[in-house]
Amino acid sequence: MNQGEAAEFLSNDLRLKTFPIALKFFKDKTDLPEKSRRPSEALGKRITICQAVTMARVYGWTMGLAKEDLICVPAMITFGFTRASDQRSTIAKLFCDVTFGRDLATAQKETASMSVLPSGEYPAMAMAPVKKASFEADTIAVYGNPAQIMRLIQAWVFTEGERITGNFGGKVECTEYLIAPFLSQAPRVAIPGNGDRIFSMTQDEELVLSFPGSALERMVSGLKEAGKKLGARYPITFYQNFQPEFPKIYKQVGEEVGAF
């Protein structure tokens, strides 16, 4: 099964509303895919990373991003697109300034656990639907409702025997669903944060499960096998082998009219 076939299976098996997306980090901007859309050029404006995710997963576009394409300062700092020397401290101070941190010590405690790419290490990144990506993915992200994400979790646990962890902060969550699987080489469940919902129109019911690009075949294999003998699948099948109970008055009327 090639990358396109695997992506098609994920979309069909889980009945996904949007495309699973592939992400790759580049050490040189000139390595971006030839046909990728650069927001600063194609759209004439800067956008957020999460907007690019939406353009890839909803429009099906291949997006190319570098510093000049981006405007979200927290994401630019954590993805290494600025000259900040101490990225976690810079973010911690920003969290305090906007009252997402009680005080600097508390905010620094949070940012110490955030996934961060060193400044300048990857000056460009590209994302596209997995089925049409021309590059080998570092991270694959799948948006879905809780039941769809549950099936992906079951697939991973069936194959690897490892429960999936999450690291939730409610903000700058693009680091969790894009950077963390790349650095840890393990999947993550993420709850999209404020920016995702304001700027990229992420819906209230959407979660994200991301995993290393190298794990795509294992995820497909796990989806095919996990819970097969129980009929586990999506949409979840309802149990119907029971006799409903109605209010007493229904039974009385039923007896009067000969229903029973």
Side-chain angles (χ1 to χ4, degrees):
M1 181 176 286
N2 60 36
Q3 187 167 279
E5 291 171 335
E8 197 69 22
F9 178 84
L10 285 181
S11 292
N12 291 338
D13 189 70
L14 296 173
R15 303 194 189 186
L16 299 174
K17 289 184 177 180
T18 63
F19 302 119
I21 64 164
L23 166 78
K24 188 169 183 63
F25 297 104
F26 293 94
K27 290 184 176 290
D28 192 320
K29 287 192 293 186
T30 61
D31 292 331
L32 282 170
E34 184 179 348
K35 294 185 178 180
S36 59
R37 282 181 170 89
R38 298 282 305 280
S40 59
E41 299 170 1
L43 305 176
K45 55 178 64 74
R46 293 172 178 246
I47 66 171
T48 65
I49 290 175
C50 56
Q51 279 179 279
V53 169
T54 296
M55 291 174 184
R57 75 183 182 98
V58 176
Y59 298 165
W61 291 356
T62 296
M63 303 298 298
L65 303 174
K67 180 180 178 180
E68 54 269 27
D69 300 297
L70 301 172
I71 199 167
C72 178
V73 172
M76 292 176 72
I77 293 170
T78 51
F79 279 74
F81 287 114
T82 74
R83 61 174 181 270
S85 57
D86 188 342
Q87 294 155 275
R88 289 184 172 85
S89 292
T90 303
I91 289 292
K93 183 179 184 305
L94 179 59
F95 283 173
C96 288
D97 291 342
V98 299
T99 63
F100 269 139
R102 184 180 63 189
D103 52 45
L104 188 58
T106 304
Q108 287 178 324
K109 183 178 179 181
E110 177 190 358
T111 59
S113 67
M114 290 178 65
S115 296
V116 172
L117 294 175
S119 293
E121 184 166 345
Y122 296 99
M125 56 194 283
M127 56 186 73
V130 176
K131 69 177 184 179
K132 65 181 288 187
S134 61
F135 49 82
E136 187 175 326
D138 290 323
T139 299
I140 291 175
V142 182
Y143 279 69
N145 63 41
Q148 291 166 322
I149 299 302
M150 176 199 71
R151 282 296 292 153
L152 286 171
I153 293 171
Q154 291 172 345
W156 176 267
V157 175
F158 173 86
T159 304
E160 304 298 322
E162 299 171 350
R163 295 178 74 89
I164 295 178
T165 61
N167 186 29
F168 310 109
K171 51 199 175 293
V172 202
E173 295 303 302
C174 52
T175 62
E176 283 304 305
Y177 60 78
L178 296 179
I179 298 177
F182 170 57
L183 295 179
S184 67
Q185 287 300 293
R188 284 287 179 89
V189 173
I191 300 174
N194 260 29
D196 294 86
R197 302 178 191 284
I198 294 169
F199 301 119
S200 66
M201 319 305 173
T202 302
Q203 299 300 294
D204 288 352
E205 73 277 5
E206 288 185 303
L207 300 177
V208 192
L209 187 141
S210 300
F211 51 90
S214 59
L216 178 58
E217 188 175 340
R218 282 176 282 162
M219 291 298 286
V220 168
S221 175
L223 269 178
K224 289 179 177 179
E225 298 299 327
K228 184 166 65 175
K229 290 185 178 180
L230 297 175
R233 62 182 177 85
Y234 183 84
I236 310 303
T237 51
F238 301 115
Y239 181 76
Q240 287 292 291
N241 187 16
F242 64 92
Q243 178 173 300
E245 293 290 335
F246 286 87
K248 187 176 180 180
I249 185 62
Y250 283 78
K251 186 175 182 180
Q252 292 173 347
V253 172
E255 290 173 345
E256 291 173 2
V257 299
F260 307 120

